[in-house]
Amino acid sequence: MEVCDLYENLKEDVRRYARSIAKHAYEADDLVQDAFMKAIKEPNLAALPLHKQKAWFFRVVKNRMIDISRREKRLVSWEDDLDVAELPVSSRNIEMTEWLARLPQSQSDIVFKRFWLGMSSQEIGEQLGMPAATVRYKLQTAIKKLRKLWEEDMK
């Protein structure tokens, strides 16, 4: 299987995910393009099972979006008249993506799959090769950690 096959198999899922976290459609298209460009440089990606390929693409898109939002945050700090209340809904997604980036990768993936993709504990467990109860425990631990980080930031 080559990257063109990966593209045909995963383009709709990756595009849908990118549009859920991007501010604009063109930004989502750039994220998808970046992910597939990066896939060209990953020789072992094509040998992975489909669910792991999909997870790899989602992680690449998410990390790229985090990089973009950090860069934009630096640029936005120079603008004086930014009204936070008028930010589009997608900026909340970026904010959530930044919060998820503060968790270990394994917890971040579980929270992302549960709350962003709407997967059940059973589905996540099947993908990650662990019981659903373990997924729920890790999800609960991640939420506690996010709550603690949030409380620390609010001080």
Side-chain angles (χ1 to χ4, degrees):
M1 182 180 288
E2 296 183 15
V3 174
C4 59
D5 296 327
L6 287 174
Y7 180 76
E8 288 301 320
N9 290 339
L10 298 171
K11 67 182 177 187
E12 292 304 319
D13 290 334
V14 175
R15 187 176 293 147
R16 188 176 320 113
Y17 171 65
R19 286 188 180 155
S20 74
I21 64 171
K23 290 180 185 174
H24 308 285
Y26 66 84
E27 189 177 53
D29 291 341
D30 288 346
L31 291 171
V32 172
Q33 181 180 353
D34 288 350
F36 281 99
M37 291 300 291
K38 191 169 183 173
I40 291 172
K41 298 174 186 170
E42 292 291 329
N44 299 329
L45 182 63
L48 296 175
L50 182 62
H51 69 278
K52 288 190 176 184
Q53 292 172 347
K54 192 182 294 185
W56 185 89
F57 276 102
F58 286 178
R59 186 172 50 248
V60 167
V61 168
K62 181 179 75 173
N63 289 342
R64 181 70 180 126
M65 190 66 222
I66 290 169
D67 291 344
I68 291 170
S69 68
R70 284 180 181 155
R71 187 177 54 219
E72 286 178 353
K73 196 174 189 178
R74 278 185 253 134
L75 295 175
V76 168
S77 66
W78 291 96
E79 296 179 13
D80 294 330
D81 58 347
L82 180 65
D83 186 359
V84 176
E86 293 182 8
L87 288 174
V89 173
S90 63
S91 67
R92 292 186 196 140
N93 291 341
I94 294 169
E95 201 173 290
M96 286 304 300
T97 304
E98 290 175 352
W99 280 99
L100 290 178
R102 296 172 74 177
L103 292 173
Q105 186 65 45
S106 61
Q107 289 180 336
S108 173
D109 286 345
I110 290 173
V111 171
F112 175 78
K113 287 176 181 174
R114 178 67 184 103
F115 294 109
W116 231 295
L117 301 180
M119 296 173 68
S120 68
S121 301
Q122 183 69 33
E123 293 169 329
I124 296 169
E126 288 172 6
Q127 272 192 1
L128 300 177
M130 63 178 68
T134 304
V135 170
R136 287 190 293 272
Y137 172 76
K138 290 185 175 210
L139 183 62
Q140 186 179 24
T141 304
I143 290 170
K144 284 180 182 176
K145 189 175 282 184
L146 283 173
R147 184 175 295 136
K148 186 176 180 182
L149 290 170
W150 183 79
E151 288 172 355
E152 289 173 2
D153 283 357
M154 290 295 123
K155 290 181 181 177

